[in-house]
Structures are given as C-alpha cells and as structure tokens.
C-alpha cells in the first residue's frame, strides 16, 4: 500500500489545513485488498490525529486520468464514515479535482450518504478553480502549481525515534547544533544592545553552570547506585558490532526498583564503537549515557530510568545505533557529532527494543471485583458487550440476506432478458415465414 502512493499527507491549503491526497487513478477495486486499503487510510488518519490533535484536514480527490475502473463505492463510503463517526471535526473540506462526467452518477449516490453540512464541504473544481482553495506552491505541476514533490517509498522519515533525555536535560541532536549556534549568535547580537539584558543573561549563565556542576557531582556519587538498582538483563542479541542485552524488551514496573532498566553493550570488534540510544518517548525516559564510544573488548552499562509522574507503555520503543570507528578517527578525543554526520548509513548497526510493563502482584481485575460498584459496572459492560455482539451478528445476517436478494434479482434479470431475446427471435422467425408465404 505504501509503495503505490495512492494516499498520503502533503502540503497545506490556504486556511493552513493539512492536505490529505487520494490519487484515484492508482486505486483499483479489488475485494481481496479492500481491508488493507481501509487500514491504510486509518493509519494516516491516526498518525495525523496523534501528531496534530484537533487540527482539521482537507481531503483532495485527484481524479486526473481516472475512469469507471477506479470507482469503489464501498471504499468511498468508508472514508466518509471515518470523518462522520471517528473524526467528526477533522474534515475542513473535500475537494474533487477534474471529476469525469461519467462519475457524476456515482457521486450523486455519495451525496445521499452525507448530511447537509457535509455536502456544503464538497468542492468540485477544475484547473482554473483549484487555486481558490490551495496556493500554487502546494499544488503539483499537473494542477497548474509549482510543487515538485514526488511521492517515494518509504514516505515517512525515521522521526519516531527521538533523542532521549540525559541526566542534565535534553540532548541536542547533531543535526541541530549548527542552527542552534546561529540562533545563539543572533541572540547575543540582540542582547548586546541593552546592558540590562546582558546582566540577565549573565545571571542565567551562572545559575545554569551552578546547576550543571551540582548535577555532575550527583552523577559521580550515584553512578554506582544506579547500576545496582537496575536488574541485569539475561537475554542477548548478537550483532556484528555489539552484543546487546536484553535482546528484545526493557522491563518496567510500578515499584521504585522497577522504574529503571539496564542495557548492556559489549564491543565485539577490534576498534572503537560509537553508539547512540534514541526513543519514541524522550519526555518519559532518562538515558545515561545516551551518546558515546567505548574500547574494543569492553562492556558498557546504560541506565534507562523513568521520569517522575510518567509510566512506561508497551508502545514505547528504543533504538540502539552503533558504528565502528577507525583507529585514525578514534585517536585522541573523537568528535562524535562530526562522526555521525559523515558515517554512511550502510555501516550503521541498528537494534530496536520494546517496552514491557510488568503487572502488579495482585491483578487489577481482582481489585475491581472486590468493589461492588466496579462489579456492577463490569456486569453492565458485559451486558453491553453481549448486546453489541448480537447486534453485529444480526447485522451480518441482514447483509447476507441482502446479498442473496441482489443475487436473486440479478438471476431474474438475466432470465427475463433471455426470455425477451427468445420471444423476439421467435417473433422475427414468424414474421419472416409469413412474408415468404
């Protein structure tokens, strides 16, 4: 589904709403893949809902070079129901570009599925009208725009894994160092214009230095205690550069001793190995160290701990990246930021770890059963669940009956047309015989 590029998010309309593109000519009706297509649309909607909560979308159906073979009414109905049922406030407008006249009958059916408010959001446009809603810089060239974006697989950058928190705060990624230095130089120029602002800046620097020195002292004192509180992992992943323990999962729990987990790295090469640890939830976790290098034949313990007030989730993941450093590169103090910029991606080893949340000794279900209020709620939920199951079953039976009726109707139409053909041919034969006589 990703390789086809039939659905993707890119660009903005004039109101600042994200554009959700549907390339209709790339869609072919196929009962075998309809479920996958629906999941594919749901993925994009869920991804946008999590990244931009509450922000509306503008759906663009690009019908350039499309025809009857690209019409799938069931798929269109699913898209409309997604916005009606699951994302009722997400749809800003629905733009239909260059709709062929042969599809007009199909869209009359679509209008019956929409309410009056949704119908007002439908915009049928051509090449001359589309720029009323979308600027040329966000339109492709075949629509008269200047956007040279071309869909390619994979469409998503690897931005799910972000830089985690170290003990002294967030770590600045290597790609952002240059821009941050420029921003700092600009801020210095502006601060030089006022003596009062310079004094504020100096006081802030002093406080930041004092805090960092205090944290460094705490790190030296607590470095041994951190590794002692975290449990040693048992399983091992054997990679070409590093052996990583645990192999698949980092375990976290609700107890204080379970809020830390340990990653053990073993350098199995003959050179220095640089590593980075990234996570999908950098606001939750502290990683110490998260970006460093270590000698061949040695091991290194990385402590991953939860911030106060946060809980681990099975959706959280960690990415361990490693690359071998040449002896010439490793001479003296290696510049890791420059190294990660220059190292080819083919030489970077990556290993992903999942988060496993251990349950408490007493299951939550037992705790809820002890409370009569929760037991009543549970019974009501079970009754509601059984009602929903019965409703779904009856709905399925109705769909089967409708399918049978449609099939029977088609058979009758076929028989009627056959009888009509036989009758016409018989009348024609009678007429020809009489004319001969």
């Amino acid at each position: 589904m990703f390789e086809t590029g039939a659905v993707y998010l890119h660009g903005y309309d004039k109101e600042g709403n994200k554009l959700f593109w549907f390339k209709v000519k790339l869609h072919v009706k196929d009962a075998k893949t309809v479920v996958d297509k629906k999941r594919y649309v749901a993925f994009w909607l869920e991804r946008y809902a999590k990244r931009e909560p509450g922000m509306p979308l503008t759906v663009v159906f690009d019908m350039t070079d499309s025809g009857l073979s690209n019409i799938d009414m069931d798929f269109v109905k699913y898209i409309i129901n997604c916005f009606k049922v699951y994302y009722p406030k997400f749809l800003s407008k629905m733009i239909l570009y260059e709709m062929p006249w042969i599809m007009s009958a199909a869209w009359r059916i679509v209008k019956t599925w929409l309410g009056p408010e949704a119908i007002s959001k439908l915009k049928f446009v051509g090449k001359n009208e589309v720029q009323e809603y979308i600027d040329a810089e966000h339109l492709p060239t075949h629509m008269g725009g200047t956007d040279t974006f071309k869909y390619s697989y994979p469409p998503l950058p690897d931005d799910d894994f972000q830089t985690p928190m170290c003990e002294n705060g967030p770590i600045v990624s290597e790609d952002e160092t240059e821009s941050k230095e420029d921003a700092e130089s600009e801020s210095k120029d502006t601060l030089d214009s006022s003596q009062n602002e310079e004094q504020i800046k100096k006081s802030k620097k002093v406080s930041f230095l004092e805090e960092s020195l205090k944290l460094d002292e705490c790190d030296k004192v607590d470095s041994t205690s951190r590794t002692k509180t975290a449990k040693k992992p048992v399983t091992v992943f054997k990679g070409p550069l590093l052996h990583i323990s645990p192999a698949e999962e980092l375990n976290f729990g609700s107890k204080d001793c379970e809020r830390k987990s340990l990653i053990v790295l073993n350098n199995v090469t003959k050179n220095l190995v640089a590593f980075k640890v990234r996570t999908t939830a950098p606001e939750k976790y502290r990683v110490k160290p998260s970006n460093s290098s270590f000698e061949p034949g040695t091991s290194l313990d990385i402590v991953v701990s939860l911030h106060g007030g946060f809980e681990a989730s099975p959706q959280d993941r960690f990415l361990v990246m490693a690359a071998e450093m040449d002896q010439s590169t490793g001479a003296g103090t290696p510049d890791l930021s420059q190294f990660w910029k220059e190292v080819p991606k083919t030489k970077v080893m990556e290993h992903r770890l999942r988060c496993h949340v251990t349950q408490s000794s007493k299951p939550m279900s037992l705790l809820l059963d002890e409370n009569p209020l929760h037991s009543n709620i549970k019974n009501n939920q079970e009754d509601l669940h059984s009602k929903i199951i019965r409703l779904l079953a009856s709905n399925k039976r109705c769909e089967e009956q409708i399918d049978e009726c449609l099939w029977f109707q088609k058979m009758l139409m076929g028989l009627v047309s056959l009888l009509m053909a036989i009758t016409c041919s018989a009348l024609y034969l009678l007429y020809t015989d009489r004319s001969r006589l």
Side-chain angles (χ1 to χ4, degrees):
M1 295 298 163
F2 278 106
E3 288 174 353
T4 60
V7 181
Y8 58 89
L9 289 164
H10 177 71
Y12 298 89
D13 65 4
K14 287 190 173 182
E15 298 176 359
N17 302 318
K18 194 76 174 178
L19 297 177
F20 193 24
W21 293 88
F22 285 83
K23 297 289 185 180
V24 179
K25 71 175 182 180
L26 299 177
H27 179 84
V28 179
K29 186 175 180 180
D30 186 4
K32 295 180 181 179
T33 60
V34 66
V35 176
D36 291 331
K37 289 173 183 175
K38 291 178 179 179
R39 288 176 178 171
Y40 183 52
V41 172
F43 162 79
W44 281 110
L45 290 173
E46 278 297 295
R47 178 179 173 83
Y48 182 75
K50 289 179 180 179
R51 288 178 173 265
E52 302 290 341
M55 297 299 291
L57 279 170
T58 294
V59 178
V60 182
F61 283 95
D62 183 4
M63 297 186 177
T64 307
D65 300 329
S66 60
L68 285 174
S69 61
N70 306 120
I71 296 178
D72 188 348
M73 302 305 294
D74 181 55
F75 185 62
V76 174
K77 189 174 184 179
Y78 169 78
I79 296 169
I80 292 171
N81 284 335
C82 280
F83 287 103
K84 284 178 65 176
V85 180
Y86 301 107
Y87 308 95
K89 296 181 180 179
F90 262 52
L91 184 62
S92 170
K93 64 183 74 70
M94 189 177 288
I95 299 174
L96 293 93
Y97 178 78
E98 295 287 356
M99 188 183 73
W101 65 269
I102 202 167
M103 291 187 180
S104 57
W107 279 99
R108 287 174 189 168
I109 298 172
V110 171
K111 285 184 177 180
T112 61
W113 301 334
L114 302 170
E117 183 181 356
I119 290 175
S120 64
K121 295 180 179 180
L122 286 176
K123 310 295 179 184
F124 295 88
V125 299
K127 195 170 185 178
N128 297 326
E129 300 87 9
V130 67
Q131 293 195 24
E132 295 179 10
Y133 307 101
I134 306 172
D135 288 325
E137 60 180 340
H138 295 298
L139 284 174
T141 53
H142 73 272
M143 289 187 178
T146 58
D147 188 5
T148 57
F149 169 80
K150 290 185 179 179
Y151 179 91
S152 61
Y153 178 82
L156 307 174
D158 189 16
D159 55 358
D160 288 338
F161 290 99
Q162 300 174 18
T163 306
M165 304 289 286
C166 72
E167 293 296 323
N168 296 337
I171 302 171
V172 180
S173 63
E174 294 82 0
D175 298 334
E176 297 173 358
T177 51
E178 295 179 0
S179 60
K180 294 218 171 187
E181 286 174 0
D182 295 337
E184 286 176 1
S185 62
E186 290 177 3
S187 63
K188 286 179 182 178
D189 293 337
T190 55
L191 286 170
D192 288 340
S193 63
S194 171
Q195 292 181 354
N196 294 329
E197 291 179 353
E198 284 180 359
Q199 291 175 358
I200 293 169
K201 181 183 172 186
K202 289 178 182 178
S203 63
K204 286 184 177 180
K205 283 185 177 179
V206 171
S207 62
F208 291 155
L209 284 170
E210 289 177 353
E211 289 178 3
S212 61
L213 288 171
K214 288 179 182 178
L215 289 168
D216 288 339
E217 290 176 0
C218 293
D219 289 340
K220 291 177 182 178
V221 174
D222 297 336
S223 59
T224 55
S225 62
R226 286 197 196 97
T227 55
K228 287 182 180 178
T229 54
K231 294 181 180 179
K232 285 280 185 181
V234 179
T235 56
V236 180
F237 167 78
K238 295 182 178 180
L241 305 180
L242 299 177
H243 288 182
I244 302 174
S245 300
E248 295 182 354
E249 295 180 341
L250 290 178
N251 293 315
F252 293 93
S254 57
K255 298 178 182 178
D256 291 338
C257 61
E258 295 174 343
R259 294 182 66 82
K260 293 182 180 180
S261 191
L262 199 64
I263 302 175
V264 181
L265 306 180
N266 287 297
N267 186 349
V268 294
T269 68
K270 297 181 180 180
N271 294 319
L272 275 174
V273 170
F275 69 89
K276 286 197 296 186
V277 181
R278 309 181 78 184
T279 178
T280 56
E283 71 282 356
K284 287 186 181 182
Y285 301 94
R286 292 179 179 177
V287 179
K288 189 68 176 182
S290 62
N291 186 9
S292 185
S293 62
F294 61 117
E295 299 289 335
T298 60
S299 63
L300 182 72
D301 294 342
I302 300 174
V303 180
V304 182
S305 57
L306 275 164
H307 282 287
F310 287 98
E311 296 295 333
S313 170
Q315 282 76 33
D316 299 338
R317 294 172 296 155
F318 290 85
L319 174 67
V320 181
M321 302 171 65
E324 191 174 4
M325 305 178 75
D326 296 333
Q327 295 293 341
S328 58
T329 307
T333 304
D335 185 1
L336 293 177
S337 61
Q338 188 65 27
F339 170 75
W340 285 112
K341 285 181 181 180
E342 297 175 353
V343 64
K345 290 186 178 180
T346 55
K347 294 186 178 181
V348 177
M349 169 191 150
E350 294 185 353
H351 181 64
R352 288 163 170 78
L353 297 170
R354 297 190 302 270
C355 225
H356 178 71
V357 182
T358 56
Q359 301 294 331
S360 58
S361 58
K362 194 170 186 180
M364 186 59 68
S365 59
L366 296 176
L367 295 173
L368 293 175
D369 290 339
E370 292 174 0
N371 192 333
L373 178 62
H374 287 295
S375 62
N376 291 332
I377 293 173
K378 185 178 179 181
N379 292 332
N380 292 333
Q381 288 178 348
E382 290 176 353
D383 294 338
L384 181 62
H385 183 66
S386 60
K387 288 179 181 178
I388 291 172
I389 290 175
R390 288 198 296 272
L391 182 61
L392 291 173
S394 63
N395 188 23
K396 188 176 181 181
R397 287 196 297 271
C398 289
E399 289 180 354
E400 291 175 354
Q401 290 175 0
I402 290 171
D403 290 338
E404 290 177 0
C405 290
L406 291 173
W407 178 81
F408 185 68
Q409 184 181 4
K410 289 178 181 177
M411 290 293 295
L412 285 176
M413 290 294 293
L415 290 173
V416 169
S417 60
L418 181 62
L419 288 172
M420 288 291 292
I422 293 171
T423 303
C424 291
S425 59
L427 291 172
Y428 177 75
L429 290 173
L430 286 172
Y431 177 75
T432 54
D433 290 339
R434 285 181 179 180
S435 61
R436 287 175 183 174
L437 292 173

